[in-house]
Amino acid sequence: MPRYQARVEVQLRPSVLDPAGEATRSAAARLGVEGLQSLRIGKAIVLSLEAPDAKQAEAQVGVLCDRLLANPVTENWSISLEELQA
């Protein structure tokens, strides 16, 4: 059965305040990094799985995102999928 590597990126929705991102942006300015207009903190999850095809692999990862990896009320997520060579 084919193996896939998925990278899931989870970000707060644009309408949700990101105090950690704002604190990091402010700290960057104090370090002399200029020009940052915005900075938002998110998370990346990398996993590998077996599935009959890419469509089913993406569907399985989508279930994980909706029910486990992200809060659907406050976060958006995206998946990038790559088939691993044996």
Coordinates of all heavy atoms in Angstrom, one line a residue:
M1 N 0.8 -1.2 0.0 CA 0.0 0.0 0.0 C 0.9 1.2 0.0 O 1.9 1.3 0.7 CB -0.9 0.0 1.3 CG -1.9 1.1 1.2 SD -3.2 1.0 2.6 CE -3.9 -0.6 2.3
P2 N 0.5 2.2 -0.8 CA 1.3 3.5 -0.8 C 1.4 4.2 0.5 O 0.5 4.1 1.3 CB 0.6 4.3 -1.9 CG -0.3 3.4 -2.6 CD -0.6 2.3 -1.7
R3 N 2.6 4.8 0.7 CA 2.8 5.6 1.9 C 2.8 7.1 1.5 O 3.4 7.5 0.5 CB 4.1 5.2 2.6 CG 4.1 3.8 3.2 CD 5.3 3.5 4.0 NE 5.6 4.5 5.0 CZ 6.8 5.0 5.2 NH1 7.9 4.7 4.4 NH2 7.0 5.9 6.1
Y4 N 2.3 7.9 2.4 CA 2.3 9.4 2.1 C 2.8 10.1 3.4 O 2.7 9.6 4.5 CB 0.8 9.8 1.9 CG 0.2 9.2 0.7 CD1 -0.5 8.0 0.7 CD2 0.3 9.8 -0.6 CE1 -1.0 7.4 -0.4 CE2 -0.2 9.2 -1.7 CZ -0.9 8.0 -1.6 OH -1.4 7.4 -2.7
Q5 N 3.4 11.3 3.1 CA 3.7 12.2 4.2 C 2.8 13.4 4.0 O 2.7 14.0 2.9 CB 5.2 12.6 4.1 CG 5.6 13.5 5.2 CD 7.1 13.8 5.2 OE1 7.8 13.7 4.2 NE2 7.6 14.3 6.3
A6 N 2.2 13.8 5.1 CA 1.3 14.9 5.1 C 1.9 16.0 6.0 O 2.5 15.7 7.1 CB -0.1 14.5 5.6
R7 N 1.8 17.2 5.6 CA 2.2 18.4 6.4 C 0.9 19.2 6.6 O 0.3 19.6 5.7 CB 3.3 19.2 5.8 CG 3.7 20.4 6.6 CD 4.7 21.3 5.9 NE 5.0 22.5 6.6 CZ 5.9 22.6 7.6 NH1 6.6 21.6 7.9 NH2 6.1 23.8 8.2
V8 N 0.5 19.3 7.9 CA -0.7 20.1 8.2 C -0.2 21.4 8.9 O 0.6 21.4 9.8 CB -1.5 19.3 9.2 CG1 -2.7 20.1 9.7 CG2 -2.0 17.9 8.7
E9 N -0.7 22.5 8.4 CA -0.4 23.8 9.0 C -1.7 24.3 9.6 O -2.8 24.4 8.9 CB 0.1 24.8 7.9 CG 1.5 24.4 7.4 CD 2.1 25.4 6.5 OE1 1.6 26.5 6.5 OE2 3.1 25.1 5.9
V10 N -1.7 24.7 10.8 CA -2.8 25.2 11.6 C -2.5 26.6 12.0 O -1.5 26.9 12.5 CB -3.1 24.3 12.8 CG1 -4.3 24.8 13.6 CG2 -3.3 22.8 12.5
Q11 N -3.5 27.5 11.6 CA -3.3 28.9 11.9 C -4.6 29.4 12.6 O -5.7 28.9 12.3 CB -3.1 29.7 10.6 CG -1.9 29.4 9.9 CD -0.6 29.9 10.6 OE1 -0.6 30.9 11.2 NE2 0.5 29.1 10.5
L12 N -4.5 30.4 13.4 CA -5.7 31.0 14.0 C -6.4 31.7 12.8 O -5.8 32.2 11.9 CB -5.3 32.1 15.0 CG -4.9 31.5 16.4 CD1 -4.4 32.7 17.2 CD2 -6.0 30.8 17.1
R13 N -7.8 31.7 12.9 CA -8.6 32.4 11.9 C -8.2 33.9 11.9 O -7.9 34.4 13.0 CB -10.0 32.2 12.1 CG -10.5 30.8 11.9 CD -12.0 30.7 12.2 NE -12.4 29.3 12.1 CZ -13.1 28.8 11.0 NH1 -13.5 29.6 10.1 NH2 -13.4 27.5 11.0
P14 N -8.3 34.6 10.8 CA -7.9 36.0 10.8 C -8.7 36.9 11.8 O -8.2 37.9 12.3 CB -8.2 36.5 9.4 CG -8.1 35.2 8.6 CD -8.6 34.1 9.5
S15 N -9.9 36.4 12.1 CA -10.8 37.2 13.0 C -10.4 37.0 14.5 O -10.9 37.7 15.4 CB -12.3 36.8 12.8 OG -12.5 35.4 13.1
V16 N -9.5 36.0 14.8 CA -9.2 35.7 16.2 C -7.9 36.4 16.5 O -6.9 36.4 15.8 CB -9.0 34.1 16.3 CG1 -8.5 33.8 17.7 CG2 -10.3 33.4 16.0
L17 N -7.9 37.1 17.7 CA -6.7 37.8 18.1 C -5.6 36.8 18.4 O -5.8 35.6 18.9 CB -7.0 38.6 19.4 CG -7.9 39.8 19.2 CD1 -8.2 40.4 20.5 CD2 -7.4 40.8 18.2
D18 N -4.3 37.2 18.2 CA -3.2 36.3 18.4 C -2.2 37.0 19.3 O -1.2 37.7 18.9 CB -2.5 36.0 17.1 CG -1.3 35.0 17.2 OD1 -1.0 34.5 18.3 OD2 -0.7 34.7 16.2
P19 N -2.4 37.0 20.6 CA -1.5 37.7 21.5 C -0.1 37.2 21.5 O 0.8 38.0 21.6 CB -2.2 37.5 22.9 CG -3.2 36.4 22.8 CD -3.5 36.3 21.3
A20 N 0.1 35.9 21.3 CA 1.5 35.4 21.2 C 2.2 35.9 20.0 O 3.4 36.3 20.0 CB 1.5 33.8 21.1
G21 N 1.5 36.0 18.9 CA 2.1 36.6 17.6 C 2.4 38.1 17.8 O 3.4 38.6 17.4
E22 N 1.5 38.8 18.5 CA 1.7 40.2 18.7 C 2.9 40.5 19.6 O 3.7 41.3 19.4 CB 0.5 40.9 19.3 CG 0.6 42.4 19.4 CD 0.9 43.1 18.1 OE1 0.5 42.7 17.0 OE2 1.6 44.2 18.2
A23 N 3.0 39.6 20.7 CA 4.1 39.7 21.6 C 5.4 39.4 20.9 O 6.5 40.1 21.1 CB 3.9 38.8 22.8
T24 N 5.4 38.5 20.0 CA 6.6 38.1 19.3 C 7.0 39.2 18.3 O 8.2 39.6 18.1 CB 6.4 36.8 18.5 OG1 6.1 35.8 19.5 CG2 7.7 36.3 17.8
R25 N 6.0 39.8 17.6 CA 6.3 40.9 16.7 C 6.9 42.1 17.5 O 7.9 42.7 17.1 CB 5.0 41.4 16.0 CG 5.3 42.4 14.9 CD 4.0 43.0 14.4 NE 3.3 43.8 15.4 CZ 3.7 45.0 15.8 NH1 4.7 45.6 15.3 NH2 3.0 45.7 16.8
S26 N 6.4 42.4 18.7 CA 6.9 43.5 19.5 C 8.3 43.2 19.9 O 9.2 44.0 19.9 CB 6.0 43.7 20.7 OG 4.8 44.2 20.4
A27 N 8.6 41.9 20.3 CA 9.9 41.5 20.7 C 10.9 41.6 19.6 O 12.1 42.1 19.7 CB 9.9 40.1 21.3
A28 N 10.5 41.3 18.4 CA 11.3 41.4 17.2 C 11.7 42.9 17.0 O 12.9 43.2 16.6 CB 10.6 40.8 16.0
A29 N 10.8 43.8 17.2 CA 11.0 45.2 17.0 C 12.1 45.7 18.0 O 13.0 46.4 17.7 CB 9.8 46.0 17.1
R30 N 12.0 45.1 19.2 CA 13.0 45.5 20.3 C 14.3 45.0 19.9 O 15.4 45.5 20.4 CB 12.5 45.0 21.7 CG 11.4 45.8 22.2 CD 11.1 45.5 23.7 NE 10.8 44.1 23.9 CZ 9.6 43.6 23.8 NH1 8.5 44.3 23.4 NH2 9.4 42.3 24.1
L31 N 14.4 43.9 19.2 CA 15.7 43.3 18.7 C 16.3 44.0 17.5 O 17.3 43.7 17.0 CB 15.5 41.8 18.4 CG 15.3 40.9 19.6 CD1 14.9 39.5 19.1 CD2 16.4 40.9 20.6
G32 N 15.5 45.0 17.0 CA 16.0 45.7 15.9 C 15.5 45.3 14.5 O 15.9 45.7 13.5
V33 N 14.6 44.3 14.5 CA 14.0 43.8 13.3 C 12.9 44.8 12.9 O 11.9 44.9 13.6 CB 13.5 42.4 13.4 CG1 12.8 41.9 12.1 CG2 14.6 41.4 13.8
E34 N 13.1 45.5 11.8 CA 12.1 46.5 11.4 C 11.3 46.0 10.2 O 11.6 45.1 9.5 CB 12.9 47.8 11.0 CG 13.7 48.4 12.2 CD 14.4 49.6 11.8 OE1 14.2 50.1 10.7 OE2 15.3 50.0 12.6
G35 N 10.1 46.6 10.1 CA 9.3 46.4 8.9 C 8.3 45.3 9.1 O 7.5 45.0 8.2
L36 N 8.2 44.6 10.2 CA 7.2 43.5 10.4 C 5.9 44.2 10.5 O 5.6 44.9 11.5 CB 7.5 42.7 11.6 CG 8.6 41.6 11.5 CD1 8.8 40.9 12.8 CD2 8.3 40.6 10.4
Q37 N 5.0 43.9 9.6 CA 3.6 44.5 9.7 C 2.7 43.6 10.5 O 1.9 44.1 11.2 CB 3.0 44.6 8.3 CG 3.8 45.5 7.4 CD 3.8 47.0 7.9 OE1 2.7 47.5 8.2 NE2 5.0 47.5 8.1
S38 N 2.9 42.3 10.5 CA 2.1 41.4 11.3 C 2.9 40.1 11.5 O 3.8 39.8 10.7 CB 0.8 41.1 10.6 OG 1.0 40.3 9.4
L39 N 2.6 39.4 12.5 CA 3.3 38.1 12.8 C 2.2 37.3 13.5 O 1.7 37.7 14.6 CB 4.5 38.3 13.7 CG 5.4 37.1 13.9 CD1 6.8 37.6 14.0 CD2 5.0 36.2 15.0
R40 N 1.9 36.1 13.0 CA 0.9 35.2 13.6 C 1.6 33.9 13.9 O 2.3 33.4 13.1 CB -0.3 35.0 12.7 CG -0.9 36.4 12.4 CD -2.3 36.6 12.2 NE -3.3 35.7 12.6 CZ -4.2 36.0 13.5 NH1 -4.2 37.1 14.2 NH2 -5.2 35.2 13.7
I41 N 1.3 33.3 15.0 CA 1.9 32.1 15.4 C 0.9 30.9 15.1 O -0.3 31.0 15.3 CB 2.1 32.0 17.0 CG1 3.0 33.2 17.4 CG2 2.7 30.7 17.4 CD1 4.4 33.1 17.0
G42 N 1.5 29.9 14.5 CA 0.7 28.7 14.2 C 1.4 27.4 14.6 O 2.4 27.5 15.3
K43 N 1.0 26.3 14.0 CA 1.7 25.1 14.3 C 1.7 24.3 13.0 O 0.9 24.4 12.2 CB 1.1 24.3 15.4 CG -0.4 24.0 15.3 CD -0.9 23.4 16.6 CE -2.4 23.2 16.5 NZ -3.1 22.8 17.7
A44 N 2.8 23.4 12.9 CA 2.9 22.5 11.8 C 3.0 21.1 12.3 O 3.8 20.9 13.3 CB 4.1 22.9 10.9
I45 N 2.3 20.2 11.7 CA 2.3 18.8 12.1 C 2.7 18.0 10.9 O 2.1 18.2 9.8 CB 0.9 18.3 12.6 CG1 0.5 19.1 13.8 CG2 1.0 16.8 13.0 CD1 -0.6 20.1 13.6
V46 N 3.7 17.1 11.0 CA 4.1 16.3 9.9 C 3.9 14.8 10.3 O 4.2 14.4 11.4 CB 5.6 16.5 9.6 CG1 6.1 15.5 8.5 CG2 5.9 17.9 9.2
L47 N 3.2 14.1 9.4 CA 2.9 12.7 9.7 C 3.0 11.8 8.5 O 2.9 12.4 7.4 CB 1.5 12.6 10.4 CG 0.3 13.2 9.6 CD1 -0.5 12.1 8.9 CD2 -0.6 13.9 10.5
S48 N 3.2 10.6 8.7 CA 3.2 9.6 7.5 C 2.1 8.6 7.8 O 1.8 8.2 8.9 CB 4.5 9.0 7.3 OG 4.9 8.2 8.5
L49 N 1.5 8.1 6.7 CA 0.4 7.2 6.8 C 0.4 6.4 5.5 O 0.9 6.7 4.5 CB -0.9 7.9 7.0 CG -1.5 8.7 5.8 CD1 -3.0 8.7 6.0 CD2 -1.0 10.1 5.8
E50 N -0.3 5.2 5.6 CA -0.6 4.4 4.4 C -2.0 4.5 4.0 O -2.9 4.6 4.9 CB -0.3 2.9 4.8 CG 1.2 2.6 5.0 CD 1.4 1.1 5.3 OE1 0.4 0.4 5.6 OE2 2.5 0.7 5.2
A51 N -2.3 4.6 2.7 CA -3.6 4.7 2.2 C -3.6 4.2 0.8 O -2.6 4.2 0.1 CB -4.1 6.1 2.3
P52 N -4.8 3.7 0.3 CA -4.8 3.2 -1.0 C -4.5 4.2 -2.1 O -4.0 3.9 -3.2 CB -6.3 2.7 -1.2 CG -6.8 2.6 0.2 CD -6.0 3.5 1.1
D53 N -4.8 5.5 -1.9 CA -4.5 6.5 -2.9 C -4.5 7.9 -2.1 O -4.8 8.0 -1.0 CB -5.5 6.5 -4.0 CG -7.0 6.7 -3.5 OD1 -7.2 7.5 -2.6 OD2 -7.9 6.0 -4.1
A54 N -4.0 8.9 -2.9 CA -3.8 10.2 -2.3 C -5.1 10.8 -1.8 O -5.2 11.5 -0.8 CB -3.2 11.1 -3.3
K55 N -6.2 10.5 -2.5 CA -7.5 11.1 -2.1 C -7.9 10.6 -0.7 O -8.4 11.3 0.1 CB -8.6 10.8 -3.2 CG -9.9 11.4 -2.9 CD -10.9 11.1 -4.1 CE -12.2 11.7 -3.8 NZ -13.2 11.4 -4.9
Q56 N -7.8 9.3 -0.5 CA -8.1 8.7 0.8 C -7.1 9.1 1.9 O -7.5 9.4 3.0 CB -8.2 7.2 0.7 CG -9.4 6.7 0.0 CD -9.7 5.3 0.2 OE1 -9.1 4.6 1.0 NE2 -10.6 4.7 -0.6
A57 N -5.9 9.3 1.5 CA -4.9 9.8 2.5 C -5.3 11.2 3.0 O -5.3 11.5 4.2 CB -3.5 9.8 1.9
E58 N -5.6 12.1 2.0 CA -6.0 13.4 2.4 C -7.3 13.4 3.2 O -7.4 14.2 4.1 CB -6.2 14.3 1.1 CG -6.4 15.7 1.4 CD -6.2 16.6 0.2 OE1 -5.7 16.1 -0.9 OE2 -6.5 17.8 0.3
A59 N -8.2 12.5 2.9 CA -9.5 12.5 3.6 C -9.2 12.0 5.1 O -9.8 12.6 6.0 CB -10.4 11.5 3.0
Q60 N -8.3 11.1 5.3 CA -8.0 10.6 6.6 C -7.3 11.7 7.4 O -7.7 12.0 8.6 CB -7.1 9.4 6.6 CG -7.8 8.1 6.1 CD -6.8 7.0 6.0 OE1 -5.7 7.0 6.6 NE2 -7.3 5.9 5.3
V61 N -6.4 12.4 6.8 CA -5.7 13.6 7.5 C -6.8 14.7 7.8 O -6.7 15.3 8.8 CB -4.5 14.1 6.7 CG1 -3.9 15.3 7.3 CG2 -3.5 13.0 6.5
G62 N -7.7 14.9 6.9 CA -8.7 15.9 7.1 C -9.6 15.6 8.3 O -9.9 16.5 9.1
V63 N -9.9 14.3 8.5 CA -10.6 13.9 9.7 C -9.8 14.2 11.0 O -10.3 14.7 12.0 CB -11.0 12.4 9.7 CG1 -11.5 11.9 11.0 CG2 -12.0 12.1 8.6
L64 N -8.5 13.9 10.9 CA -7.6 14.2 12.1 C -7.6 15.7 12.3 O -7.7 16.2 13.5 CB -6.2 13.8 11.8 CG -5.9 12.3 11.9 CD1 -4.5 12.0 11.5 CD2 -6.2 11.8 13.3
C65 N -7.6 16.5 11.3 CA -7.6 18.0 11.5 C -8.9 18.5 12.1 O -8.8 19.3 13.0 CB -7.3 18.7 10.1 SG -5.7 18.4 9.4
D66 N -10.0 18.0 11.5 CA -11.3 18.5 12.0 C -11.5 18.1 13.5 O -12.2 18.8 14.2 CB -12.4 17.9 11.2 CG -12.6 18.7 9.9 OD1 -12.2 19.9 9.8 OD2 -13.1 18.1 8.9
R67 N -11.1 16.9 13.9 CA -11.5 16.3 15.2 C -10.4 16.3 16.2 O -10.7 16.1 17.4 CB -12.0 14.9 15.0 CG -13.2 14.9 14.1 CD -13.8 13.5 14.0 NE -14.9 13.5 13.1 CZ -15.5 12.4 12.7 NH1 -15.0 11.2 13.0 NH2 -16.5 12.4 11.8
L68 N -9.1 16.5 15.8 CA -8.0 16.4 16.8 C -7.0 17.5 16.7 O -6.6 18.0 17.8 CB -7.4 15.0 16.6 CG -6.2 14.6 17.5 CD1 -6.7 14.4 18.9 CD2 -5.6 13.3 17.0
L69 N -6.5 17.8 15.6 CA -5.4 18.7 15.4 C -5.7 20.2 15.5 O -4.8 21.0 15.8 CB -4.6 18.4 14.1 CG -4.1 16.9 14.0 CD1 -3.4 16.7 12.7 CD2 -3.1 16.6 15.2
A70 N -6.9 20.5 15.1 CA -7.3 22.0 15.1 C -8.6 22.2 15.7 O -9.5 21.3 15.8 CB -7.4 22.4 13.6
N71 N -8.8 23.4 16.3 CA -10.1 23.8 16.8 C -10.9 24.4 15.7 O -10.5 25.5 15.3 CB -9.9 24.7 18.0 CG -11.1 25.2 18.6 OD1 -12.2 25.1 18.0 ND2 -11.0 25.7 19.8
P72 N -11.9 23.8 15.2 CA -12.7 24.3 14.1 C -13.3 25.7 14.3 O -13.7 26.4 13.4 CB -13.7 23.2 13.7 CG -13.8 22.4 15.0 CD -12.5 22.5 15.7
V73 N -13.5 26.0 15.6 CA -14.1 27.3 15.9 C -13.1 28.5 15.7 O -13.5 29.5 15.2 CB -14.7 27.3 17.3 CG1 -15.2 28.7 17.7 CG2 -15.7 26.2 17.5
T74 N -11.9 28.2 16.1 CA -10.9 29.3 16.1 C -9.7 29.2 15.1 O -9.0 30.1 14.9 CB -10.3 29.5 17.5 OG1 -9.6 28.3 17.8 CG2 -11.3 29.8 18.5
E75 N -9.6 28.0 14.4 CA -8.4 27.8 13.6 C -8.8 27.3 12.2 O -9.8 26.6 12.0 CB -7.5 26.7 14.3 CG -6.9 27.2 15.6 CD -6.2 26.1 16.3 OE1 -6.6 24.9 16.4 OE2 -5.1 26.4 16.8
N76 N -8.0 27.6 11.2 CA -8.0 27.1 9.9 C -6.9 26.1 9.7 O -5.8 26.3 10.4 CB -7.9 28.2 8.8 CG -9.1 29.1 8.8 OD1 -10.2 28.7 9.1 ND2 -8.9 30.4 8.6
W77 N -7.0 25.2 8.8 CA -5.9 24.3 8.5 C -5.8 24.0 7.0 O -6.7 24.2 6.3 CB -6.0 23.0 9.3 CG -7.4 22.3 9.1 CD1 -8.5 22.4 9.9 CD2 -7.8 21.4 8.1 NE1 -9.5 21.7 9.5 CE2 -9.1 21.0 8.3 CE3 -7.1 20.9 7.0 CZ2 -9.8 20.1 7.5 CZ3 -7.8 20.0 6.1 CH2 -9.1 19.6 6.4
S78 N -4.5 23.6 6.7 CA -4.3 23.2 5.3 C -3.4 22.0 5.3 O -2.6 21.8 6.2 CB -3.7 24.4 4.5 OG -2.4 24.7 5.0
I79 N -3.5 21.2 4.2 CA -2.7 20.0 4.1 C -1.9 20.0 2.8 O -2.4 20.4 1.8 CB -3.7 18.7 4.0 CG1 -4.6 18.6 5.2 CG2 -2.9 17.5 3.8 CD1 -5.7 17.6 5.1
S80 N -0.7 19.6 2.9 CA 0.1 19.3 1.7 C 0.5 17.8 1.8 O 0.9 17.4 2.9 CB 1.3 20.2 1.6 OG 2.2 20.1 2.7
L81 N 0.4 17.1 0.7 CA 0.5 15.7 0.8 C 1.6 15.3 -0.3 O 1.6 15.8 -1.4 CB -0.8 15.0 0.5 CG -1.0 13.5 0.7 CD1 -0.9 13.2 2.2 CD2 -2.3 13.1 0.1
E82 N 2.4 14.3 0.1 CA 3.5 13.9 -0.8 C 3.5 12.3 -0.7 O 3.6 11.8 0.4 CB 4.8 14.5 -0.4 CG 6.0 14.0 -1.2 CD 7.3 14.6 -0.6 OE1 7.2 15.6 0.1 OE2 8.3 14.0 -0.9
E83 N 3.6 11.7 -1.8 CA 3.7 10.2 -1.8 C 5.2 9.9 -1.6 O 6.1 10.5 -2.2 CB 3.3 9.6 -3.1 CG 3.3 8.0 -3.0 CD 2.6 7.4 -4.2 OE1 2.0 8.1 -5.1 OE2 2.7 6.1 -4.3
L84 N 5.5 9.0 -0.6 CA 6.8 8.6 -0.3 C 7.2 7.4 -1.2 O 6.4 6.5 -1.5 CB 6.9 8.2 1.2 CG 6.6 9.3 2.2 CD1 6.6 8.7 3.6 CD2 7.6 10.4 2.1
Q85 N 8.4 7.4 -1.6 CA 9.0 6.3 -2.5 C 9.4 5.2 -1.6 O 10.0 5.4 -0.5 CB 10.1 6.8 -3.3 CG 9.8 8.0 -4.3 CD 8.6 7.6 -5.2 OE1 8.6 6.5 -5.8 NE2 7.7 8.5 -5.4
A86 N 9.2 4.0 -2.0 CA 9.5 2.8 -1.2 C 11.0 2.6 -1.2 O 11.8 3.0 -1.9 CB 8.9 1.5 -1.8

